[in-house]
Amino acid sequence: MAAALKRAYLAVYNRAVFFGWAQVLYHALTTLLQTGHQDVYAAVERPLQLAQTAAVLEILHGLVGLVRSPVSATLPQIGSRLFVTWGILWSFPETRTHMLVSSLVISWSVTEIIRYSFFGTKELLGSAPSWLLWLRYSSFLIMYPTGISSELGLIYIALQYIKASGKYSLRLPNTWNYSFDYFYASIMVLLIYVPGSPHMYTYMLGQRKKALSKSKTM
């Protein structure tokens, strides 16, 4: 009974988030073709925020054992995306009309549509077709570099606005006797990408080799 409820919940979750990302991709592409990259963020803002924030549940899924994905791999990726979604794009409107928003949104949505399709199908039917398995473990070869490059570019572009606005920074003196500078924190995030991105890419290559070799023996 518990196993059936788990599979039903994960099937519903994956299907719901899949439709969220499909909506993001549809609006991004139609807006890009009709009016240009400068309007893409405005067209996808709400579904993007909802779909990306829903990924927080995946961390909880890993913590409570609903899925086998290690939290150590899930947390940094989701955390960096939430930082870009809320800490950059939502917080600093000046970044929203840049062309990198389009490459970011398309890279994220294509990746997630494939991923949630794969897991949703697997939970619903017990397995996924070989072509979907291949897409799940191969699309990142292109989408991860384009997505990461877009994330890095947008954070870098936002630095000037972060510094000028002083938003989210806490200056001394204050009641807590503590200071925090969002500008330098954002620079630290950029620096973390340097070792983090190749490490994650290498990890995904390993997962790809493992998954595809396993499928050949079945």
Side-chain angles (χ1 to χ4, degrees):
M1 183 66 176
L5 287 174
K6 168 190 167 183
R7 289 185 63 180
Y9 164 74
L10 289 175
V12 170
Y13 169 78
N14 285 306
R15 182 63 62 89
V17 185
F18 162 82
F19 281 116
W21 282 110
Q23 186 179 6
V24 171
L25 182 60
Y26 171 78
H27 288 303
L29 291 177
T30 54
T31 303
L32 189 61
L33 292 173
Q34 291 174 2
T35 61
H37 68 268
Q38 69 278 359
D39 297 321
V40 167
Y41 180 81
V44 305
E45 180 178 32
R46 186 49 58 86
L48 173 66
Q49 291 170 348
L50 290 173
Q52 190 55 68
T53 305
V56 172
L57 289 173
E58 294 183 33
I59 300 172
L60 298 178
H61 295 165
L63 287 173
V64 301
L66 277 179
V67 297
R68 291 180 294 177
S69 301
V71 176
S72 59
T74 306
L75 183 59
Q77 188 169 18
I78 293 175
S80 63
R81 286 188 173 195
L82 288 173
F83 175 71
V84 174
T85 300
W86 293 102
I88 299 298
L89 293 173
W90 182 75
S91 299
F92 300 95
E94 299 91 340
T95 62
R96 298 175 185 175
T97 57
H98 198 280
M99 63 185 300
L100 285 176
V101 173
S102 298
S103 57
L104 176 86
V105 168
I106 292 171
S107 298
W108 282 4
S109 56
V110 168
T111 298
E112 300 299 22
I113 286 170
I114 294 171
R115 188 166 71 91
Y116 286 110
S117 295
F118 173 77
F119 287 118
T121 303
K122 197 173 179 181
E123 291 296 338
L124 190 64
L125 304 178
S127 63
S130 57
W131 63 268
L132 188 53
L133 174 70
W134 185 87
L135 280 176
R136 163 69 182 94
Y137 289 100
S138 300
S139 59
F140 79 89
L141 294 170
I142 296 174
M143 295 303 163
Y144 186 77
T146 56
I148 285 292
S149 299
S150 301
E151 291 175 35
L152 285 167
L154 288 168
I155 296 171
Y156 179 77
I157 290 166
L159 288 177
Q160 58 181 310
Y161 307 115
I162 295 172
K163 188 173 184 178
S165 69
K167 185 180 286 188
Y168 305 139
S169 295
L170 185 63
R171 310 297 185 190
L172 289 171
N174 58 66
T175 306
W176 299 279
N177 197 32
Y178 169 81
S179 65
F180 173 77
D181 197 310
Y182 194 64
F183 173 74
Y184 290 110
S186 299
I187 291 177
M188 286 299 299
V189 171
L190 279 176
L191 294 176
I192 292 172
Y193 270 86
V194 176
S197 300
H199 173 75
M200 183 61 70
Y201 196 72
T202 302
Y203 170 78
M204 290 189 292
L205 285 172
Q207 292 296 102
R208 179 179 189 271
K209 182 178 180 181
K210 181 180 177 181
L212 296 185
S213 61
K214 184 179 178 181
S215 69
K216 290 178 181 177
T217 61
M218 295 176 65

